[in-house]
Amino acid sequence: MSSVHLLINGPIAEIKLDNPSKLNALTVKMLQSLEAHCAEIERTPSVRVVVLTAETAKAFCAGADISEWGELSPSEFARLWVREGHRVFDRLARLSKPTIAAVGAHAFGGGLELAAACDIRVMAPRATLALPEAQVGIVPGWSGTQRLSRLLPEPVVKEMALFGRRLTSDRALALGFAAEIADDPRAAALEIAEKALVLSPRATEIDKYMLHAGAGEDSAALIEALGSAAISASDDRNEGVSAFLEKRNAIFSGA
């Protein structure tokens, strides 16, 4: 049974981490489930907003399960663990739907990187953030030094990665990494999701594309996606397709 569940309730999809015995530490199967759920969400037009939650109150996500990668060779670690995990997190970050992480407890290492892959974050007062990889002799591998450095000031990321300091929810809010602090982050995230349903889904999708392109998040693909969307609405596109299917020369109007 998967330790990452997808619940779709009308226009709101909830991705739930459920590996409490290991504080939701991420395994290969969990990464595979997360990727599959992202693909299903993208294929479900009725879904408008995505909320990422955790089942256990003890931790949002304690990071990557060391038992999954501890025995890998250097090349396997880089290829099968870091690159694969990075690809899955990128898949989450690049969903066309708005995403909210409900961080109800500690988010360390890969857990912090997972929260950073969402568009906004709601944190519990007691939740803390950390990059503890150096404690076990490794470095962040799922965008902790890349995407996270676009969301937090570089000195703050250095505090966590180089000095092992934790970031409190209050400080995360002051720095803009957290959108809100709530005693029940899941309920607060779902409330934000509900209120977002009055917005145009097409507008928010294009907003996300433009913001990500400006920030360098998959900018090449996003530029082509925006251009393709624009050309798909043209008369020339319709004429070109019709002419091809009718085996005749197209007569383009430029409209």
Side-chain angles (χ1 to χ4, degrees):
M1 184 176 179
S2 170
S3 297
V4 181
H5 311 302
L6 175 62
L7 309 171
I8 297 179
N9 184 16
I12 298 175
E14 185 174 356
I15 299 174
K16 183 176 292 187
L17 306 179
D18 186 13
N19 188 14
S21 65
K22 293 194 174 184
L23 300 179
N24 291 324
L26 296 165
T27 65
V28 170
K29 287 185 177 180
M30 291 174 73
L31 292 173
Q32 291 171 342
S33 294
L34 176 60
E35 183 175 30
H37 294 333
C38 287
E40 183 175 348
I41 287 168
E42 207 67 275
R43 292 193 300 265
T44 308
S46 60
V47 172
R48 300 270 304 277
V49 188
V50 181
V51 176
L52 177 65
T53 65
E55 183 65 26
T56 176
K58 294 182 178 179
F60 171 73
C61 178
D65 187 346
I66 295 179
S67 65
E68 294 271 315
W69 57 262
E71 300 299 321
L72 296 177
S73 69
S75 63
E76 289 173 331
F77 181 63
R79 176 169 46 87
L80 301 177
W81 188 251
V82 175
R83 285 177 60 85
E84 283 293 294
H86 215 292
R87 180 175 57 77
V88 174
F89 279 31
D90 285 349
R91 186 73 178 84
L92 173 63
R94 294 165 187 171
L95 278 176
S96 63
K97 330 278 186 174
T99 56
I100 309 166
V103 184
H106 307 309
F108 295 162
L112 171 54
E113 292 165 319
L114 182 63
C118 292
D119 294 320
I120 64 172
R121 289 145 291 277
V122 178
M123 293 180 64
R126 68 184 186 89
T128 61
L129 312 173
L131 292 174
E133 285 85 352
Q135 293 179 17
V136 290
I138 61 170
V139 297
W142 291 341
S143 75
T145 62
Q146 305 302 307
R147 180 177 293 115
L148 194 61
S149 291
R150 296 198 297 268
L151 301 175
L152 285 168
E154 180 184 329
V156 176
V157 180
K158 285 181 175 178
E159 281 185 48
M160 292 189 285
L162 308 185
F163 298 95
R165 299 189 71 181
R166 295 186 183 185
L167 191 65
T168 65
S169 58
D170 285 339
R171 194 172 178 207
L173 180 67
L175 292 168
F177 185 74
E180 184 177 327
I181 296 176
D183 291 329
D184 187 340
R186 177 179 176 272
L190 289 172
E191 184 178 353
I192 293 172
E194 288 281 356
K195 290 180 178 178
L197 297 179
V198 302
L199 304 175
S200 160
R202 196 74 182 110
T204 55
E205 178 183 354
I206 300 303
D207 276 340
K208 185 167 179 176
Y209 285 167
M210 293 191 298
L211 289 164
H212 278 198
E217 179 78 60
D218 197 30
S219 56
L222 291 175
I223 289 169
E224 292 189 349
L226 290 170
S228 296
I231 199 66
S232 290
S234 69
D235 291 342
D236 275 2
R237 180 261 191 188
N238 295 332
E239 168 62 11
V241 171
S242 296
F244 177 83
L245 295 175
E246 296 167 8
K247 295 181 174 56
R248 59 176 175 80
N249 292 329
I251 303 174
F252 294 120
S253 66

